[in-house]
Amino acid sequence: MTDADQHKPLAAAPAAAAAAPPVPLAWGPLLEEHPLPHLVYEWGSLRLLAANAAALQRYGCGRAELLALSRPELLLPEEVPALHALLADVAAGRLPPQPRVWRERARDGRLLHADVRGMQVLFKGRLARLVVVVDAGAKAQLAADTELSRQRHEALLAAIPDLWLVIDDEGRYAEVSDPGHPALSAPWPEKLGRRLIDALEPDLARLIAGKIALAHRSGQPQSHHYELKVRDGQVRAFEARYVALDGGRTMMLVRDVTENVQLGRRFQDMAEAAPLGIFMTDADGACSYANPEWQRIYGLTLEQSLGAGWVAQLHPEDRQTVQQQWLAAAAATATFEQEFRILAADQVRRVAVRSSPIRRADGTVSGHVGTVVDVTQVREIEAARQAQAVAEEAGRRQAGFMSRVSHELRTPLNAVLGFGELLQHDGTLAGTHALEHIGYIVQAGRHMLALVDDLLELQRLEQGSLRPQLAPLDLGRHLAACAELLAPAALEAGVSLLVEAPATLTLQTDARCLRQILLNLASNAVKYAGRGARVVVRVERDGDRVRIAVEDNGRGMTAAQLQRLFHPFERLGQENSGLPGSGLGLVITRQLAHMLGGEVSLASQPGAGTVATLELPLAGAA
């Protein structure tokens, strides 16, 4: 982003300004002391012309320092094109499709997020844009800030004396508090003595006449709101109250509530566009307004939301407690802050709710305004992190335990095996039962040592501490070497072992891991196929993958036995067969295959043998 881009002027004034003159803006205490940051910048140059105290605090600048900048200089450079595009749309009379959160930078380098709303104004004779900056990182303060602004507007209006008129028993204007009051639709001399029906639009005149008649019949003041074009041509909003006087006369009190109506509309516009749920209630706590985001979170329409309709969405286990606490807070005119569960669209959601009372100028409470935020995902992430931390701690403890156990077991086992093997070579024991018993001891010791080794291997795999070392590998030679290692066991078991592999086939894999996989699969076939069986290791290439099948024509397995494979310590009833094994070989084999980017599968039929297939990528683990 160049300096020229930062200060690029707009090509034309906004179309709205061409159609009607912009609203003159007089910078006064109301804007200067407003709790939200306000900025005014010139339309053409985008130079800042005014900033209130909240804006100075937000950006961490002095007034002179801030007013020396342009609006683009408050944004991150990558946001500037979007600003020019937005102002071009405004100049063409197009409204943006949806609110945008702008990324800004404070003087001290802090990243700020802003929801900016603006309007065209005439400031000191210049066409300008007045914007209010809402901190998008503090949306929960939106309702409180709006309420403070509303109270200030009400205090300002309360300082302006109301207009009062007296209507005689024939419905004619008789008296007025201020003949020059701006709320009059025409000069007082033109209204004096005239009937309402002749001085006002017929519909409004009939409405006022009805209110006057009801005030006299009921003896109670009546009120209503209406809009009326006043003498300067503006359409203003008014609140009128009618009090019955003696002789059929009526006191009509008129208050200009245009600012209140506009504020309410602004609040509703902001609430409609806000990315968090906003609601309002009456003094008893019954919901009177819910913005679209609130409706989306609760899964209700506006009509369903009103009153106590939201209670039906509470989780059954939370419903009574939450409703009681809400009604208690409403009755005590206290702040309500709670997190609870709701049922929306058949899903359990967690929401955080906060509300505060709306107080009139005299301190009484007219209702409550609050926000709702869906915190389901936040809580799920927190729970997942906590579970992960627990699992990691358990893994560390397990690793420490296994390491300690392996050390403690290996020392006595090595001693047992060492002395047992010495006794086996003791010539004085030849031909005795003691030598046979010593053989059992040595065999059991070797089995326990193999079990410890397998457990440690499995632990390293599950913790991911093993990392494959990929290198080019001649598969044919590797298989031949594995067959040589298994040849003595095959000879002892009476099983023939053959290898059928292409003369030249190179894999990018880990030689040690592949050797362990092949030895586990082939040794199982040799041990369990039965005497006289035939074991064949075949290799097939399929595109960028290779299949290594270990086939035997032995006794095979049933479907029920196949389902029990790959479970730790599962030996399918061979525990007392005298054949060595821990029941961990296939579990380790499958995890090693996964680590190399492959898969292991078994197929078998009783009496027809078993096929164990290892499938690997030629280029190594994914």
Side-chain angles (χ1 to χ4, degrees):
M1 180 61 61
T2 65
D3 187 64
D5 291 329
Q6 290 278 1
H7 302 292
K8 181 172 65 177
L10 294 178
V23 177
L25 175 66
W27 193 272
L30 186 62
L31 285 177
E32 179 61 32
E33 299 173 5
H34 200 282
L36 293 180
H38 282 68
L39 300 171
V40 178
Y41 59 88
E42 189 174 23
W43 180 263
S45 66
L46 304 184
R47 285 290 181 182
L48 294 177
L49 302 177
N52 68 353
L56 302 181
Q57 182 179 4
R58 173 179 175 81
Y59 298 108
C61 298
R63 190 176 301 275
E65 183 182 5
L66 185 60
L67 295 184
L69 303 175
S70 66
R71 175 60 182 147
E73 289 175 311
L74 295 178
L75 300 173
L76 295 187
E78 53 266 32
E79 295 281 1
V80 175
L83 173 64
H84 286 290
L86 171 65
L87 295 179
D89 286 342
V90 173
R94 296 187 299 268
L95 293 176
Q98 60 184 6
R100 176 188 176 92
V101 175
W102 300 88
R103 291 176 298 166
E104 300 180 325
R105 187 71 71 184
R107 183 178 182 275
D108 59 5
R110 288 178 295 111
L111 178 63
L112 306 174
H113 294 81
D115 182 358
V116 180
R117 306 300 173 91
M119 63 181 292
Q120 305 306 320
V121 297
L122 193 63
F123 184 76
K124 297 183 179 179
R126 303 182 190 179
L127 181 61
R129 187 166 178 82
L130 169 66
V131 296
V132 57
V133 182
V134 179
D135 188 349
K139 288 291 188 179
Q141 296 299 319
L142 178 62
D145 294 338
T146 304
E147 170 59 14
L148 180 60
S149 178
R150 187 187 71 82
Q151 291 179 354
R152 289 184 174 180
H153 277 282
E154 284 188 350
L156 180 62
L157 292 174
I160 302 175
D162 293 339
L163 171 69
W164 59 263
L165 307 99
V166 175
I167 310 299
D168 66 17
D169 58 348
E170 295 181 354
R172 300 177 185 274
Y173 290 101
E175 299 178 35
V176 67
S177 60
D178 180 2
H181 200 285
L184 292 171
S185 59
W188 178 247
E190 297 179 12
K191 301 177 78 70
L192 181 60
R194 295 184 67 189
R195 297 190 307 165
L196 296 175
I197 195 65
D198 298 326
L200 300 173
E201 294 180 358
D203 290 342
L204 179 58
R206 284 191 289 269
L207 176 60
I208 293 175
K211 293 290 182 180
I212 290 175
L214 183 58
H216 281 274
R217 287 198 307 270
S218 65
Q220 299 296 322
Q222 302 296 316
S223 63
H224 71 105
H225 291 78
Y226 64 93
E227 291 186 347
L228 183 66
K229 181 182 290 187
V230 295
R231 284 181 297 172
D232 61 4
Q234 294 186 52
V235 176
R236 307 285 294 177
F238 298 96
E239 177 186 22
R241 291 175 60 84
Y242 305 93
V243 180
L245 302 178
D246 294 338
R249 299 193 309 162
T250 307
M251 173 73 75
M252 179 179 178
L253 302 173
V254 179
R255 173 174 293 182
D256 188 330
V257 294
T258 305
E259 285 74 13
N260 274 356
V261 171
Q262 291 175 346
L263 179 63
R265 289 172 180 168
R266 284 194 210 105
F267 171 81
Q268 185 165 354
D269 290 343
M270 295 174 68
E272 296 289 307
L276 75 165
I278 298 176
F279 67 94
M280 296 182 68
T281 75
D282 60 19
D284 296 326
C287 182
S288 58
Y289 169 77
N291 74 337
E293 180 63 12
W294 189 100
Q295 299 169 38
R296 186 196 66 78
I297 292 174
Y298 277 84
L300 298 173
T301 64
L302 178 59
E303 292 74 16
Q304 294 170 336
S305 306
L306 301 180
W310 60 277
V311 175
Q313 301 301 98
L314 294 176
H315 192 282
E317 297 177 5
D318 297 349
R319 184 172 300 155
Q320 183 176 0
T321 300
V322 172
Q323 188 177 15
Q324 289 177 348
Q325 291 177 348
W326 165 246
L327 294 177
T333 65
T335 297
F336 176 81
E337 189 169 5
Q338 187 66 269
E339 184 176 313
F340 49 83
R341 294 170 293 175
I342 62 173
L343 293 174
D346 297 327
Q347 292 184 341
V348 178
R349 313 292 296 173
R350 293 197 72 88
V351 295
V353 179
R354 178 181 174 84
S355 71
S356 299
I358 304 172
R359 298 188 182 277
R360 302 184 182 92
D362 60 1
T364 59
V365 173
S366 62
H368 303 263
V369 62
T371 59
V372 177
V373 179
D374 188 337
V375 296
T376 306
Q377 188 175 13
V378 174
R379 296 296 175 259
E380 289 175 350
I381 292 174
E382 290 176 352
R385 287 176 177 172
Q386 184 176 4
Q388 181 181 5
V390 171
E392 290 175 352
E393 177 62 22
R396 285 192 293 270
R397 292 185 179 183
Q398 181 185 11
F401 173 77
M402 292 298 296
S403 177
R404 180 65 179 270
V405 167
S406 66
H407 174 75
E408 297 296 334
L409 287 177
R410 280 178 180 276
T411 300
L413 279 175
N414 286 331
V416 169
L417 289 174
F419 285 111
E421 291 172 352
L422 286 175
L423 289 173
Q424 283 181 320
H425 294 87
D426 187 345
T428 62
L429 298 176
T432 66
H433 290 292
L435 186 60
E436 181 180 356
H437 296 161
I438 291 170
Y440 293 148
I441 293 173
V442 172
Q443 182 180 1
R446 289 173 179 169
H447 175 74
M448 288 186 65
L449 192 59
L451 180 60
V452 170
D453 291 339
D454 285 347
L455 283 172
L456 290 173
E457 182 80 1
L458 183 62
Q459 179 195 12
R460 287 192 291 269
L461 285 169
E462 290 180 344
Q463 290 183 336
S465 58
L466 287 181
R467 294 289 184 270
Q469 303 297 319
L470 303 183
L473 178 71
D474 187 324
L475 183 58
R477 291 185 179 180
H478 197 70
L479 289 174
C482 292
E484 289 180 5
L485 292 175
L486 288 173
L491 182 62
E492 182 179 354
V495 174
S496 63
L497 178 61
L498 301 176
V499 176
E500 298 178 0
T504 57
L505 180 59
T506 302
L507 287 178
Q508 188 77 8
T509 189
D510 185 301
R512 188 190 68 82
C513 292
L514 181 58
R515 181 185 302 110
Q516 186 170 352
I517 294 172
L518 294 173
L519 290 177
N520 284 346
L521 295 178
S523 65
N524 280 348
V526 168
K527 285 190 294 185
Y528 301 119
R531 185 166 294 277
R534 184 170 181 265
V535 177
V536 181
V537 181
R538 290 191 173 89
V539 178
E540 295 180 359
R541 180 173 176 175
D542 184 7
D544 61 351
R545 299 184 74 80
V546 62
R547 293 189 187 90
I548 305 173
V550 180
E551 305 176 7
D552 70 71
N553 60 351
R555 60 176 64 94
M557 290 178 285
T558 65
Q561 288 176 316
L562 283 174
Q563 291 181 353
R564 291 158 53 192
L565 290 176
F566 299 105
H567 291 175
F569 306 106
E570 179 58 69
R571 296 194 63 197
L572 303 182
Q574 299 295 322
E575 294 83 352
N576 300 318
S577 64
L579 297 174
S582 64
L584 295 175
L586 283 178
V587 178
I588 294 173
T589 296
R590 171 166 282 183
Q591 294 205 28
L592 287 172
H594 289 170
M595 188 174 68
L596 296 179
E599 184 56 78
V600 172
S601 61
L602 272 82
S604 183
Q605 290 185 355
T610 301
V611 180
T613 303
L614 168 65
E615 184 174 330
L616 291 173
L618 285 172

